Amino acid sequence: MILVIGGTGTVGSALLPRLVDRRVPVTALVRTGPAEPIAGVRYVVGDAGEPAALHAALTGVDQVFLAMGNGPRQRELELGVVEAAARAGVQHLVKLSAPVADTVAVARLHQEVERAVVAAELEHTFLRPYAFQQNLLRLAPMIGHTGMFTGTTGHHPLNMVDARDVADVAAVALTSRRTRGQALVLTGPEAISYPQVADLLTALGRPTRYLDLPPDRMRQELDHMGQPSWLVEHLLEIQALTRTHRETPTPAVRAVTGHEPRRLVDFLGEHLHAFTTPEVVSSAVSSAND
Ligand SMILES: NC(=O)c1ccc[n+]([C@@H]2O[C@H](COP(=O)([O-])OP(=O)(O)OC[C@H]3O[C@@H](n4cnc5c(N)ncnc54)[C@H](OP(=O)(O)O)[C@@H]3O)[C@@H](O)[C@H]2O)c1
């Protein structure tokens, strides 16, 4: 039995149907019962911070997929899951992590959890994807309304990866022994800058401009949008990292799944309506994992 924690998230919601298709028994720990449950998935409703819910979810489980949303409780929640999984005798934990980057607080947190997994002597696969292509859907309302978006990455390319490729890798990791003990840095087929994203959207028929801002101005914009301070700092940290560390694609998605990673231009084409009509953005986000 595989326990998926984060099954409603960008990667987790793409992973669940992949595991069902492979006919492996799967449990999902979810905080809210799903409106449209996936046939073949056993749901346990509860918070990963509740020992009783975690205990119920881990019963009879030999592998765990852990994808925890970023936030102030993430460290405590993930360390709690690692400890409970080790206590429950779980044999393999696949952790959605992030590339190593000492200047990014969330990346340091992932490193701390990875070390805890190793210290607990849990067999593991660490998935370290760069930013998901799906994150661009968060910019869709701004682009839909104004035809432009902002950032602080200048012309530096980003290694964006489609979350469905991360789910494909996770599905292999959970249904074979091939990735065990590995830390896999997951990227798309090519690194692409924000000005190039604007050019791609324009070429696809949605005229778009990218406006590069100094970090302090970007912080003001994000504060003004009402983003929590931890998220503002996280976004600024990862964009600063893009300016100082060149992002280079890796062969990991192809090596594990046997298929090429999905291209950003195809992702944008698939979701072009979201960048054009603000009203349909939320439905586009939910269909991003189909
Ligand atoms: N987004 C990226 O570009 C990116 C890139 C590299 C690495 N990562 C890493 O990937 C991980 C997931 O990020 P994401 O952006 O994909 O998140 P996401 O789509 O928002 O998914 C987060 C999941 O965590 C679940 N969750 C949050 N708190 C929980 C709790 N207390 N108990 C049980 N479940 C809980 C959420 O469930 P609910 O539906 O109940 O909220 C949701 O299913 C993060 O650790 C992030 O650092 C993300």
Side-chain angles (χ1 to χ4, degrees):
M1 173 74 78
I2 295 168
L3 170 63
V4 172
I5 300 179
T8 57
T10 316
V11 173
S13 61
L15 175 62
L16 285 174
R18 283 159 170 74
L19 294 176
V20 169
D21 283 350
R22 286 169 164 78
R23 299 183 186 286
V24 288
V26 54
T27 294
L29 175 66
V30 291
R31 288 192 288 183
T32 312
E36 292 177 26
I38 299 171
V41 175
R42 165 187 168 246
Y43 289 93
V44 173
V45 177
D47 188 297
E50 292 166 11
L54 209 46
H55 178 75
L58 280 165
T59 303
V61 161
D62 48 20
Q63 297 191 79
V64 170
F65 174 77
L66 173 58
M68 187 56 70
N70 296 138
R73 293 172 66 211
Q74 183 176 5
R75 175 180 178 279
E76 164 210 341
L77 289 168
E78 291 211 26
L79 291 174
V81 169
V82 171
E83 193 190 324
R87 218 178 320 114
V90 164
Q91 288 159 20
H92 179 217
L93 186 142
V94 178
K95 173 176 156 47
L96 185 53
S97 185
V100 176
D102 289 343
T103 55
V104 177
V106 168
R108 291 197 301 272
L109 177 157
H110 282 303
Q111 284 304 297
E112 183 182 352
V113 177
E114 286 189 10
R115 285 193 296 274
V117 173
V118 173
E121 298 183 354
L122 277 165
E123 217 175 348
H124 59 266
T125 303
F126 298 141
L127 307 182
R128 297 175 178 168
Y130 276 86
F132 303 150
Q133 294 174 2
Q134 280 76 2
N135 293 357
L136 291 173
L137 294 172
R138 295 183 199 143
L139 298 171
M142 188 192 288
I143 294 171
H145 281 294
T146 66
M148 59 167 262
F149 67 101
T150 53
T152 66
T153 56
H155 281 80
H156 297 277
L158 288 79
N159 259 337
M160 285 174 277
V161 58
D162 192 315
R164 291 171 293 190
D165 287 328
V166 181
D168 286 339
V169 172
V172 173
L174 290 161
T175 54
S176 76
R177 300 190 59 86
R178 288 174 40 210
T179 65
R180 296 207 183 181
Q182 294 184 31
L184 298 162
V185 177
L186 305 175
T187 74
E190 57 180 338
I192 291 184
S193 69
Y194 277 165
Q196 288 172 315
V197 171
D199 289 347
L200 288 174
L201 283 168
T202 302
L204 288 165
R206 177 49 177 127
T208 304
R209 214 160 49 85
Y210 168 66
L211 180 64
D212 201 58
L213 296 176
D216 283 348
R217 181 69 206 295
M218 188 77 202
R219 179 179 282 108
Q220 284 172 5
E221 292 252 325
L222 293 166
D223 285 340
H224 183 68
M225 287 159 69
Q227 303 287 2
S229 58
W230 66 263
L231 182 57
V232 173
E233 293 314 316
H234 177 55
L235 293 172
L236 290 168
E237 282 172 0
I238 50 178
Q239 296 207 10
L241 187 71
T242 304
R243 296 195 301 273
T244 54
H245 288 72
R246 189 174 173 73
E247 298 192 2
T248 312
T250 69
V253 167
R254 187 182 345 103
V256 174
T257 66
H259 69 67
E260 293 298 325
R262 292 166 172 85
R263 300 186 313 161
L264 184 67
V265 65
D266 296 328
F267 176 84
L268 294 175
E270 199 180 331
H271 297 287
L272 197 59
H273 58 294
F275 295 92
T276 310
T277 317
E279 290 74 29
V280 297
V281 168
S282 58
S283 67
V285 171
S286 62
S287 70
N289 303 307
D290 292 348

